[in-house]
Amino acid sequence: MNKKLTLSCLLLFVLSFTFLLQSKSIKNHVVKTTCLQKSLAERIDSVLTIMTLEEKVGQLNQYSSNWTTGPVSPEANKLQDIKDGKVGSMLNVKGAEKTRAIQKIALQSRMKIPLLFGLDVIHGYKTTFPIPLAEACSWDLAAMELTARIAATEAAAAGVHWTFAPMVDIARDPRWGRVMEGAGEDTYLGCAIAKARVKGFQGGQLGKTDAVMACAKHFAAYGAAIGGRDYNSVDMSERTLFEVYLPPFKAAVDAGAATFMNSFNDVNGVPATGNPHLQRDILKGKWGFNGFVVSDWGSIVEMQTHGFAKSLKESAFIAINAGNDMDMESRAYTKNLATLVTEGKVSITVVDEAVKRILLKKFELGLFDDPYKFCNEKRETQAFQNPQHRIIAKEMAQKSIVLLKNQNSILPLNKQQKVALIGPLAKSKIDMLGFWNVEWDDNSDVVSQYEGLELKIGKNNLLYAKGCEVNDSSEIGFAEAITIAKQADVVLLSMGETRDISGEARSRANIHFPGVQEKLIKAIVATGKPVVMLINAGRPLVFNWAADHVSAILYTWWLGSEAGNAIADVLYGDYNPSAKLTMSFPQSEGQIPVYYNHFNTGRPQLNSHEQYASGYKDASSLPKFPFGFGLSYTSFEYSDLKLSSNTMKADGKIDVSFTLKNSGKIKGEEVVQLYLKDEVASLVRPIKELKGFEKVMLQAGESKEIKFTIDKEKLSFFNNKLEWLAESGKFQLMIGASSDDLKLKSSFELID
Ligand code: BGC
């Protein structure tokens, strides 16, 4: 820094400090200092030095607008508190106009520190993309990065600085309603998706007007809530925590995630929010995370309900010391932190550290230089009207649809066939958006399935009947639906969950179709007409009867703004389905958790009649549809597996190659999957683990050589001392089209 500038900075600092001492008020925009070349650390320190304790605590406080996404919190005079410098961030404020108006109030505070505006931009802002679990089924990292990028562009233009996404919780239990927000059950894939999404939201660099801060959540192990009951406890070994649940969080840190959110659950008896081991030792210590941690909604106050803190004051004490920087809607910090510091119970250094982390992000975003930088009505309108966003929403929706069954190649349909579209979700717009969409007054721009089909084939060949509501007990609409079905060549049955059935606080013990939907399926199948099911849901559902009796099934999740168009494209072959499940689909709730990468046990059940084996007396232990499964309108052949060597040294690698051929008549994409199994180790290892994948597009008849590399990293696991290492010995290598459809097999040995 040049000398003159340093001196003037120093002078400015001394002047402002003296001024503060004298008048206790700061007229100039303290942070709009001209010392732009100062290092961020210096700038942060220069702000921190002139803040009162109350103002510091204010930075750690986050309020929601009156639009809430959690239980009602105690009253607060929010606008006055903002003016008084008692708020560092607001959530649930959206729109350039509103964020600007509230930011204006923050700038009336003594320190004039800009607010951070946070929002759950989970799968889109104005343009809604498929729910994250659906997108994950595309296995298309670039596409997922792109939808996050667009969501960020739209949100940032509307004054949002920070999304509470991605949710990177590994989820093996479809009863848990929040599986819809994540990437599914697999850690390897979950890490790749976590990275892609963080990169997408944050763009090249924080501070650009099209980038928002990402927030990896919910730290940690929230997805392992016992019994799939939301907010429930988690009890697991440290090794499983490290091996299965933490890696996507680590991947998010490595990708530069600006923030983390902790979680509602306790982990082995310690609430995550008050857990120093997770937040201080692992996240901020071992992983060197330099962003800040926000609590989940009210998770600080809830430590009392957990029975972990006697009072709100003690909750605040525990949370701040455990490394929870910002308090979302508990009011624990505003009410207690200053007193705790004054009483000497919480060190000011701990508070300062938390404040610095938050100020750092405000600086990185450029808010101190221009607090209104992100709320820009013109950019907002442009972003909302960008036709490209809709095109990408449609492409992403196409890529997320999983073809689960296609008997006698009934799909794709041809436009000459008369189609009866039947079911409670066929004309719904709002349900296409799914849970955690950003809510708008008008959803007329969402394309329903009926509209998508009408656009594709016109009205003449399209019949419609609702049949029943999603959660109906009445069969009154069945007769009309049957009559309509009989007039058609093929029936499309649109069933599943409305958008509020999966999501936060939407755990279900029974994950079959709600209401009388299954009865309707039976009644329609009884007409003898071929039935194609469109299953709309936020989680894997159980639908054995339908799976065994209908002709074809497209799992269409909740696909967002362009749902209807994407579904019509797939139905008529304008897009060849390419998605594969990232969660195993159970045959019954009693099997849950069912996931592909389990241990073998000493008595694996090799067939369902085996007596003394690890299975169920009354049910199979296999999933209905396995992890990695999904069909295409074309077929693929796997051949010619080659390994560069059958032995590998720890510092070496093995090149794996094979030939993939599109053996069908149309072009299509295949997600090839590589699995490994460590045959014998000092700890038992999963029967297979995904360690590589590639999405490959091939023209009809085309062949391609696909390559993977095996290195030590792919062979490593956490031992009981939590050391990440690869043990020498034999490994099985499997390549295939799903975790259950392994076409090529070989083995190799890791040698000392
Ligand atoms: C959820 C978070 C969400 C927050 C703010 C909580 O109830 O668990 O995932 O980001 O609310 O809406």
Side-chain angles (χ1 to χ4, degrees):
M1 194 193 291
N2 85 36
K3 231 178 182 174
K4 227 165 148 192
L5 200 65
T6 318
L7 278 176
S8 59
C9 288
L10 198 66
L11 192 64
L12 183 76
F13 170 75
V14 173
L15 278 179
S16 20
F17 193 60
T18 322
F19 188 53
L20 168 79
L21 291 179
Q22 282 168 357
S23 66
K24 289 246 173 167
S25 86
I26 296 180
K27 284 201 184 123
N28 291 327
H29 194 285
V30 136
V31 285
K32 215 170 175 180
T33 149
T34 50
C35 315
L36 286 178
Q37 285 90 335
K38 266 189 168 181
S39 76
L40 275 187
E42 285 172 308
R43 293 182 81 188
I44 292 165
D45 282 342
S46 70
V47 175
L48 199 72
T49 328
I50 50 178
M51 288 172 81
T52 64
L53 175 57
E54 285 69 24
E55 284 163 342
K56 289 177 180 175
V57 173
Q59 285 306 302
L60 310 184
N61 181 36
Q62 185 186 54
Y63 282 151
S64 173
S65 72
N66 293 337
W67 168 41
T68 62
T69 42
V72 181
S73 322
E75 265 308 299
N77 192 343
K78 295 178 187 168
L79 296 184
Q80 188 58 48
D81 283 356
I82 294 174
K83 214 178 203 166
D84 293 344
K86 292 182 178 163
V87 187
S89 170
M90 289 292 293
L91 78 145
N92 294 336
V93 183
K94 66 176 204 288
E97 200 186 327
K98 283 195 184 137
T99 48
R100 174 188 300 278
I102 295 181
Q103 193 68 291
K104 257 190 191 154
I105 301 174
L107 295 178
Q108 291 168 33
S109 66
R110 191 186 77 93
M111 285 297 297
K112 303 180 185 350
I113 299 179
L115 290 169
L116 282 176
F117 291 103
L119 191 77
D120 292 284
V121 183
I122 307 294
H123 52 112
Y125 183 72
K126 183 72 177 83
T127 311
T128 308
F129 298 102
I131 55 168
L133 181 59
E135 283 197 356
C137 292
S138 73
W139 298 60
D140 188 332
L141 301 174
M144 285 179 258
E145 184 177 332
L146 184 59
T147 60
R149 190 83 289 283
I150 292 170
T153 308
E154 293 183 358
V160 175
H161 307 129
W162 177 20
T163 174
F164 303 125
M167 185 188 100
V168 303
D169 295 307
I170 295 299
R172 293 170 162 178
D173 192 332
R175 292 171 299 181
W176 188 49
R178 300 196 78 168
V179 299
M180 55 123 329
E181 279 177 69
E185 74 188 35
D186 186 66
T187 304
Y188 181 85
L189 181 61
C191 288
I193 294 178
K195 274 192 180 158
R197 289 190 165 139
V198 169
K199 272 169 69 189
F201 285 127
Q202 298 194 164
Q205 193 191 345
L206 284 188
K208 289 196 175 160
T209 49
D210 64 356
V212 294
M213 294 195 294
C215 180
K217 69 186 189 185
H218 305 83
F219 195 61
Y222 184 40
I226 295 172
R229 223 178 67 208
D230 210 358
Y231 316 124
N232 205 2
S233 296
V234 168
D235 198 77
M236 68 169 59
S237 72
E238 190 79 349
R239 203 191 57 76
T240 302
L241 182 69
F242 266 78
E243 193 164 301
V244 179
Y245 290 88
L246 291 187
F249 287 100
K250 173 69 166 55
V253 172
D254 293 344
T259 73
F260 261 53
M261 184 185 290
N262 55 38
S263 55
F264 293 118
N265 56 288
D266 71 271
V267 184
N268 304 332
V270 182
T273 305
N275 198 318
H277 176 52
L278 286 173
Q279 299 173 111
R280 289 226 182 265
D281 302 347
I282 299 173
L283 178 61
K284 293 177 176 177
K286 210 176 161 77
W287 295 351
F289 171 65
N290 84 345
F292 69 88
V293 180
V294 64
S295 77
D296 205 344
W297 181 290
S299 66
I300 302 184
V301 60
E302 287 171 18
M303 285 200 284
Q304 293 172 79
T305 326
H306 275 283
F308 195 69
K310 281 195 285 293
S311 59
L312 190 61
K313 189 171 174 185
E314 198 185 1
S315 299
F317 169 83
I318 294 172
I320 191 80
N321 282 323
N324 177 111
D325 301 306
M326 188 179 276
D327 169 358
M328 180 194 286
E329 280 290 312
S330 279
R331 323 266 194 266
Y333 286 1
T334 29
K335 288 183 180 158
N336 299 291
L337 215 46
T339 319
L340 282 164
V341 173
T342 319
E343 290 172 355
K345 290 185 181 136
V346 168
S347 149
I348 187 65
T349 328
V350 170
V351 174
D352 282 354
E353 188 237 289
V355 177
K356 280 186 186 177
R357 284 175 178 268
I358 291 162
L359 293 181
L360 172 66
K361 295 302 157 196
K362 292 188 176 184
F363 271 111
E364 284 177 357
L365 285 166
L367 293 176
F368 282 114
D369 300 318
D370 178 3
Y372 302 111
K373 167 174 180 186
F374 290 87
C375 33
N376 183 314
E377 282 85 345
K378 198 169 151 215
R379 241 187 5 248
E380 184 179 38
T381 314
Q382 275 168 0
F384 286 13
Q385 291 171 354
N386 188 334
Q388 197 60 26
H389 295 186
R390 295 294 294 226
I391 293 171
I392 289 158
K394 182 170 114 168
E395 286 173 0
M396 190 74 239
Q398 293 168 336
K399 288 171 197 244
S400 306
I401 298 171
V402 193
L403 176 64
L404 292 180
K405 184 175 182 184
N406 194 15
Q407 209 168 38
N408 304 326
S409 298
I410 186 176
L411 292 177
L413 303 174
N414 69 64
K415 291 184 182 169
Q416 279 66 54
Q417 289 165 304
K418 202 172 233 350
V419 164
L421 178 61
I422 295 173
L425 292 161
K427 282 198 171 178
S428 174
K429 285 176 181 280
I430 184 112
D431 294 306
M432 297 302 104
L433 296 178
F435 197 84
W436 279 128
N437 69 310
V438 175
E439 297 195 5
W440 303 96
D441 295 337
D442 177 17
N443 291 314
S444 57
D445 62 346
V446 180
V447 185
S448 72
Q449 293 170 7
Y450 183 86
E451 287 167 337
L453 277 168
E454 191 182 13
L455 214 64
K456 180 71 69 188
I457 60 169
K459 265 194 165 66
N460 289 347
N461 273 342
L462 181 59
L463 307 168
Y464 165 79
K466 192 169 200 178
C468 63
E469 299 294 341
V470 164
N471 213 352
D472 227 342
S473 52
S474 160
E475 296 171 27
I476 206 149
F478 282 23
E480 186 204 4
I482 292 167
T483 310
I484 292 289
K486 284 182 177 161
Q487 294 166 24
D489 299 315
V490 56
V491 181
L492 302 180
L493 266 184
S494 178
M495 302 269 178
E497 297 184 320
T498 45
R499 65 180 277 281
D500 54 350
I501 294 183
S502 286
E504 183 178 350
R506 267 92 179 155
S507 292
R508 294 177 63 198
N510 169 352
I511 55 169
H512 287 66
F513 294 121
V516 291
Q517 294 184 84
E518 190 152 324
K519 281 190 174 172
L520 180 59
I521 303 170
K522 289 181 178 165
I524 299 296
V525 169
T527 63
K529 296 288 177 179
V531 172
V532 176
M533 288 211 60
L534 307 173
I535 304 183
N536 314 273
R539 55 154 65 86
L541 293 172
V542 173
F543 48 93
N544 299 320
W545 193 92
D548 296 342
H549 293 88
V550 302
S551 301
I553 301 173
L554 289 174
Y555 214 80
T556 59
W557 308 102
W558 291 324
L559 292 175
S561 307
E562 285 285 332
N565 286 332
I567 291 170
D569 283 348
V570 170
L571 284 170
Y572 287 89
D574 295 322
Y575 181 84
N576 183 0
S578 63
K580 305 235 183 191
L581 301 176
T582 63
M583 275 190 86
S584 308
F585 275 44
Q587 303 193 34
S588 75
E589 290 86 353
Q591 297 175 306
I592 297 171
V594 51
Y595 52 95
Y596 83 94
N597 48 352
H598 56 82
F599 294 151
N600 206 27
T601 80
R603 295 185 178 188
Q605 192 176 44
L606 300 176
N607 67 62
S608 53
H609 308 296
E610 229 174 331
Q611 179 61 264
Y612 291 102
S614 178
Y616 299 102
K617 201 84 193 107
D618 55 351
S620 156
S621 46
L622 297 174
K624 187 74 183 168
F625 298 103
F627 174 85
F629 174 76
L631 301 170
S632 162
Y633 294 154
T634 188
S635 51
F636 297 95
E637 279 172 16
Y638 291 64
S639 64
D640 211 14
L641 175 63
K642 286 189 198 116
L643 270 63
S644 58
S645 168
N646 286 103
T647 55
M648 181 185 133
K649 287 204 164 147
D651 59 353
K653 61 184 178 61
I654 292 179
D655 294 323
V656 179
S657 67
F658 68 96
T659 304
L660 182 74
K661 181 176 180 195
N662 179 346
S663 48
K665 293 195 176 60
I666 56 168
K667 75 170 183 187
E669 280 176 292
E670 171 73 323
V671 179
V672 296
Q673 300 156 45
L674 177 142
Y675 295 88
L676 294 177
K677 174 173 169 33
D678 190 342
E679 278 205 342
V680 179
S682 60
L683 291 173
V684 289
R685 303 298 303 144
I687 57 162
K688 65 193 85 143
E689 288 179 285
L690 182 76
K691 290 292 174 183
F693 65 90
E694 196 180 323
K695 191 159 187 170
V696 189
M697 165 66 89
L698 292 178
Q699 299 299 325
E702 190 187 349
S703 295
K704 194 177 168 190
E705 189 183 37
I706 312 295
K707 292 178 178 165
F708 290 107
T709 304
I710 308 291
D711 58 13
K712 188 176 151 208
E713 187 64 18
K714 287 196 159 76
L715 310 181
S716 298
F717 65 96
F718 283 103
N719 68 8
N720 265 341
K721 292 183 199 142
L722 294 184
E723 295 158 336
W724 178 248
L725 47 79
E727 290 179 355
S728 53
K730 195 169 171 197
F731 288 81
Q732 289 173 24
L733 180 145
M734 298 151 268
I735 289 176
S738 89
S739 62
D740 198 26
D741 184 11
L742 301 162
K743 317 262 191 194
L744 303 170
K745 292 183 183 168
S746 186
S747 63
F748 61 89
E749 201 166 333
L750 178 68
I751 51 174
D752 293 326

